[in-house]
Amino acid sequence: MNGVQVVGGSNPLAPTIFMSMKTITIGLIGFGTIGKGVVKTLQANKELVETRIGAPIQLKWVADLDITSDRGVKVDPSVLTTDAMQVVNDPDVDVVIELIGGCGVAKHIILSALRNGKSVITANKALLAEHGNEIFSAVQAVNGMIAYEASVCGGIPVIKALREGLVANNIQSMYGIINGTANYILTKMTQDGISYEEALKQAQSLGYAEADPTLDVEGIDAAHKLLILGSLATGAIFEMRDIYIEGIRNITDKDIQYAAEFGYGVKLLGIYKQQAGSVELRVHPTLLPESHLLSSVMDAYNAVFITGDIVGHTMYYGRGAGELPTASAVVADLVDIGRSIANGKGRHNNEFTRDRSSVVVRDMNAIESRYYLRFSVIDIPGVLGQITGVLGKYRISISDVYQKERRKGEFVPLVMITHHAKEQGVRAALNEIDQLDVVKDKTLLIRMED
Ligand code: HSE
């Protein structure tokens, strides 16, 4: 048999017959947490991966500025280099795995690798979200391939779900817990009754949150991921300015306690909705009924609840970050690409077939929602009347009112839940209410989903 190579080993599927003698040569750039996970995975499951590709693999390069620190994983010193361009320019390399992150050097590496005819695998959500058009234009120009399963929700194969499993559907909506750090903080505030600041400190000490947690707690990381999911669902590449973003910094443990009294939990959600010829893309804290499946997603776990017009409801759950879950996604992409190289067909991106200008993104003012409103008001007669008067003027109907604390003549929290209302009206009403003498602080608004 021509071109057939037999190997044995610990793989339960062995012995393997490779249908291709072509070795898939890999250059890994970025030997940080995920890079280390990829090396470990390729070592632990090498035969399994090769069997599934149908060809042998070789990790020819591991590039990083630091090639001396001990990462607890054995690598042949001859593969280590500090020169990323040596990897990108090596004619032997078939697949470049970019795990540096950020939008600087990483972009240059990816664009150069594509121009050099390499397939690219990346976990870089920020780059895809901030420069998606440029990256995918470059891919198209060379009829190349970029795979990015690890960029959204780490080990959860949600990109494959949208690209492949759900491809027969119009995606009607997606609700995602797509930032593990924020979910950890909100979980701790809920379960332990601790403040945002305390929960953030815990998240930092466990390594979930960075010293500067802005990207996670302000919703920016979630927006990067929502942009990628929304682009896949629609077929058009969105831009960050298409997404409304609000983080979790203003949520207090009291809000979580009040929400619970109404039967709701608070989650930071990435929301995509397609209806009436337009799409909504938004990231914000959201009150979800405690009975919703997403409400049971705790700690740093991620989950995405996707509804298609044919399939109905589906949900994807798992670890959204971390060394091995993210490496699992990177190596899945490697197997996909490796299979295409091995069978000589090549694999090309074909998921973005619509022009962005053909898609209407609904302005945030035009969305409709139910709202949780927490006012800070003086506890004296007539205050409730003043507030409901303004809400009524803007046709905002109240479904529940709640004032737990009673301190005559002092400022106390007053919580209301509204029926469905237009965001524009709610914002206008709150602007007016916040000017009233009986109101102290800016009113807190949290949108609700049922
Ligand atoms: N910092 C992210 C999170 C993981 O907390 O989910 C990487 O996107």
Side-chain angles (χ1 to χ4, degrees):
M1 259 197 294
N2 239 355
V4 171
Q5 192 181 337
V6 180
V7 294
S10 57
N11 166 21
L13 303 177
T16 298
I17 298 176
F18 287 145
M19 297 314 294
S20 168
M21 284 299 286
K22 159 82 183 141
T23 295
I24 310 298
T25 306
I26 305 154
L28 172 63
I29 303 178
F31 199 17
T33 305
I34 307 170
K36 185 175 62 163
V38 169
V39 172
K40 279 187 193 167
T41 306
L42 291 180
Q43 289 175 354
N45 285 357
K46 182 167 190 284
E47 289 168 24
L48 184 79
V49 167
E50 290 181 324
T51 304
R52 288 181 171 163
I53 292 177
I57 57 172
Q58 183 202 3
L59 181 61
K60 184 168 178 189
W61 296 113
V62 175
D64 199 282
L65 290 177
D66 169 12
I67 54 171
T68 53
S69 295
D70 180 8
R71 282 135 169 121
V73 57
K74 270 204 186 126
V75 181
D76 183 338
S78 68
V79 310
L80 292 169
T81 175
T82 54
D83 182 3
M85 293 317 285
Q86 185 181 10
V87 180
V88 169
N89 291 325
D90 179 346
D92 288 347
V93 169
D94 300 297
V95 185
V96 169
I97 303 177
E98 179 278 307
L99 298 174
I100 300 176
C103 297
V105 178
K107 184 168 118 184
H108 178 64
I109 285 169
I110 288 178
L111 293 176
S112 307
L114 288 167
R115 277 195 295 269
N116 288 349
K118 322 279 184 215
S119 294
V120 171
I121 297 169
T122 182
N124 196 333
K125 70 216 83 165
L127 181 64
L128 294 175
E130 305 276 357
H131 300 275
N133 274 309
E134 188 179 348
I135 300 289
F136 284 96
S137 298
V139 172
Q140 207 174 12
V142 297
N143 197 20
M145 177 70 200
I146 185 165
Y148 46 95
E149 184 64 63
S151 66
V152 179
C153 296
I156 310 174
V158 66
I159 289 182
K160 279 192 187 9
L162 286 168
R163 267 181 61 114
E164 296 165 27
L166 301 177
V167 79
N169 290 260
N170 272 308
I171 302 300
Q172 295 171 319
S173 62
M174 294 190 280
Y175 298 89
I177 294 175
I178 48 184
N179 184 270
T181 307
N183 202 44
Y184 179 85
I185 292 171
L186 292 171
T187 301
K188 288 296 142 193
M189 289 171 72
T190 306
Q191 292 180 341
D192 302 343
I194 58 176
S195 68
Y196 166 81
E197 287 76 18
E198 270 179 84
L200 170 61
K201 259 190 227 147
Q202 279 190 18
Q204 283 168 325
S205 70
L206 288 169
Y208 293 141
E210 311 274 338
D212 174 2
T214 307
L215 280 179
D216 291 322
V217 300
E218 292 294 356
I220 300 161
D221 174 80
H224 288 153
K225 296 168 186 165
L226 179 67
L227 186 148
I228 296 170
L229 295 178
S231 299
L232 282 162
T234 312
I237 299 172
F238 291 110
E239 295 177 24
M240 282 299 277
R241 62 171 175 229
D242 293 325
I243 303 187
Y244 174 82
I245 309 171
E246 204 181 283
I248 60 167
R249 274 194 216 264
N250 294 330
I251 307 291
T252 67
D253 43 326
K254 288 275 183 212
D255 292 309
I256 289 182
Q257 186 191 315
Y258 300 150
E261 309 226 3
F262 291 113
Y264 286 82
V266 182
K267 294 287 186 193
L268 179 69
L269 291 190
I271 299 176
Y272 168 94
K273 288 188 194 182
Q274 192 222 126
Q275 54 194 17
S278 63
V279 300
E280 291 175 23
L281 289 160
R282 43 191 167 106
V283 170
H284 53 68
T286 309
L287 257 67
L288 266 186
E290 278 160 358
S291 56
H292 194 285
L293 276 178
L294 284 175
S295 297
S296 60
V297 176
M298 299 295 181
D299 299 318
Y301 276 88
N302 283 195
V304 188
F305 190 90
I306 304 180
T307 303
D309 59 349
I310 306 296
V311 72
H313 299 311
T314 65
M315 185 157 136
Y316 310 85
Y317 169 85
R319 289 199 181 275
E323 178 186 321
L324 292 178
T326 312
S328 162
V330 169
V331 176
D333 279 343
L334 176 67
V335 171
D336 272 356
I337 288 176
R339 281 173 174 157
S340 311
I341 295 172
N343 70 25
K345 287 192 184 143
R347 188 156 189 267
H348 309 289
N349 291 87
N350 54 7
E351 59 270 52
F352 302 117
T353 49
R354 284 177 77 183
D355 199 87
R356 165 67 189 83
S357 60
S358 71
V359 182
V360 177
V361 176
R362 191 169 309 159
D363 185 87
M364 196 58 191
N365 272 319
I367 72 144
E368 282 190 25
S369 177
R370 295 180 69 207
Y371 294 85
Y372 162 102
L373 305 174
R374 175 176 42 82
F375 304 97
S376 173
V377 294
I378 303 184
D379 193 5
I380 51 169
V383 170
L384 190 57
Q386 286 190 54
I387 290 178
T388 54
V390 179
L391 292 174
K393 190 171 107 187
Y394 288 95
R395 309 190 61 73
I396 298 158
S397 171
I398 298 153
S399 84
D400 293 282
V401 182
Y402 179 92
Q403 183 193 333
K404 196 157 188 185
E405 295 173 38
R406 315 229 174 277
R407 291 193 301 271
K408 219 172 159 194
E410 289 181 42
F411 286 98
V412 291
L414 173 71
V415 174
M416 285 186 197
I417 303 281
T418 74
H419 288 296
H420 271 94
K422 275 236 160 73
E423 175 100 4
Q424 189 168 26
V426 172
R427 288 193 195 188
L430 294 190
N431 272 341
E432 219 169 284
I433 289 169
D434 286 351
Q435 308 298 322
L436 298 173
D437 288 343
V438 293
V439 173
K440 190 168 86 173
D441 298 322
K442 196 169 167 354
T443 300
L444 181 83
L445 163 168
I446 312 178
R447 296 166 195 86
M448 304 172 71
E449 290 288 335
D450 288 311

